[in-house]
């Protein structure tokens, strides 16, 4: 028996597996957050001071007590959602957060950064609008659940939300130790029980990214 050949036989696939794990770890945030290459940047913009520098939110100003904060998907130019939100929520001011690295916002996106910046936006908006509806879609649903758990939202609206981004990725990459590699977990199940605001969940019948089972599981947490 040639022990050297056996060692080489096993070392090559093991090395390739380790390289794949290293690549996933290094590139994970590029995979989770995918800013569009171009931005239309339509409409008004508000500036938010954050620890990383200036961040921005696309906006449609409206006087009065009511406002909507929108937290969008991983590759979304949120300014394009402002007209639809304004139509869905008449007589509301609209503020759609550009995540770090999106739309001119400074810094790099991460779970902690998105949580922090959404809180900063809420505090800014709350100075002028006492009733704030928080709307989150896809990736942003995790940010929205956390925000509503730590700030006095009037209502929480979730569009195709997930129970845990970690669980979704672990299921799709079942051959990799995702639970050891993933830094941004977006475990909405941790924060949902702390949400006191009335919550509306909208489910896409044929969503190809977030399975219905994950949304149903999150629903059971409230």
């Amino acid at each position: 028996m040639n022990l050297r050949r056996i060692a080489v036989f096993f070392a090559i696939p093991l090395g390739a597996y380790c390289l794949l794990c290293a690549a996933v770890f290094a590139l994970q945030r590029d995979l989770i957050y995918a800013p569009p290459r171009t931005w239309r940047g339509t409409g008004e913009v508000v500036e938010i001071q954050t620890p990383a520098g200036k961040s921005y939110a696309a906006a449609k100003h409206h006087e009065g007590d009511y406002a909507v904060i929108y937290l969008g998907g991983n590759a979304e130019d949120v300014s394009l959602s402002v007209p639809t939100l304004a139509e869905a929520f008449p007589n509301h001011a609209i503020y759609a957060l550009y995540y770090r690295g999106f739309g001119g916002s400074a810094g790099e996106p991460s779970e902690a950064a998105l949580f922090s910046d959404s809180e900063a936006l809420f505090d800014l908006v709350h100075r002028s609008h006492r009733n704030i509806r928080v709307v989150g879609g896809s990736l942003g649903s995790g940010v929205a659940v956390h925000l509503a758990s730590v700030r006095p939202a009037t209502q929480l609206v979730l569009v195709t939300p997930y129970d845990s981004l970690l669980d979704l990725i672990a299921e799709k990459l079942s051959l990799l130790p995702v639970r050891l590699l993933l830094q941004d977990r977006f475990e909405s199940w941790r924060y949902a029980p702390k949400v006191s605001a009335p919550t509306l969940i909208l489910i896409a019948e044929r969503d190809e990214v977030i399975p219905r089972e994950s949304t149903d599981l999150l629903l059971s947490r409230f």
Side-chain angles (χ1 to χ4, degrees), residues 134-138 140-145 156-162 188 192 199-203 215 218 222:
V134 174
V135 180
S138 193
S141 69
V143 187
V145 171
L156 174 63
V157 180
L158 303 174
V159 183
T160 61
Y162 48 83
S188 294
T199 301
L200 173 65
I201 294 180
L202 304 177
I203 302 172
T215 302
L218 176 64
F222 289 96

Side-chain angles (χ1 to χ4, degrees), residues 18-192:
C18 291
L19 285 174
L20 179 59
C21 289
V24 170
F25 181 79
L27 300 174
Q28 58 183 279
R29 284 180 172 149
D30 292 328
L31 300 173
I32 293 174
Y33 313 102
R37 293 180 179 272
T38 59
W39 295 91
R40 298 186 188 181
T42 59
E44 305 162 78
V45 174
V46 296
E47 182 180 298
I48 312 150
Q49 291 294 335
T50 73
K54 294 179 181 178
S55 287
Y56 298 93
K60 182 179 186 299
H61 293 290
H62 191 283
E63 297 296 328
D65 285 341
Y66 296 95
V68 169
I69 288 178
Y70 177 64
L71 303 158
N74 70 326
E76 182 178 350
D77 181 346
V78 292
S79 71
L80 302 181
S81 297
V82 170
T84 301
L85 290 164
E87 184 177 347
F89 297 95
N91 302 317
H92 285 64
I94 309 295
Y95 300 90
L97 179 65
Y98 283 119
Y99 300 145
R100 295 190 193 185
F102 289 58
S105 290
E108 297 294 330
S110 69
E111 180 180 19
L114 269 57
F115 285 177
S116 175
D117 292 354
S118 67
E119 293 169 25
L121 176 59
F122 189 100
D123 294 341
L124 176 65
V125 172
H126 202 237
R127 296 174 194 167
S128 304
H129 308 281
R130 306 309 299 175
N131 296 288
I132 301 175
R133 289 181 164 87
V134 174
V135 180
S138 193
L139 175 68
S141 69
V143 187
V145 171
H146 176 267
L147 180 60
S149 76
V150 296
R151 291 294 188 271
T154 299
Q155 183 184 29
L156 174 63
V157 180
L158 303 174
V159 183
T160 61
Y162 48 83
D163 188 61
S164 165
L165 184 65
L166 172 63
D167 288 346
L168 292 182
I169 296 177
E171 184 176 348
K172 291 182 181 296
L173 303 178
S174 58
L175 297 180
L176 299 179
V178 170
R179 297 183 187 281
L180 297 177
L181 299 173
L182 199 65
Q183 294 175 292
D184 296 351
R185 297 168 176 250
F186 289 99
E187 294 174 312
S188 294
W189 61 267
R190 292 184 180 274
Y191 310 109

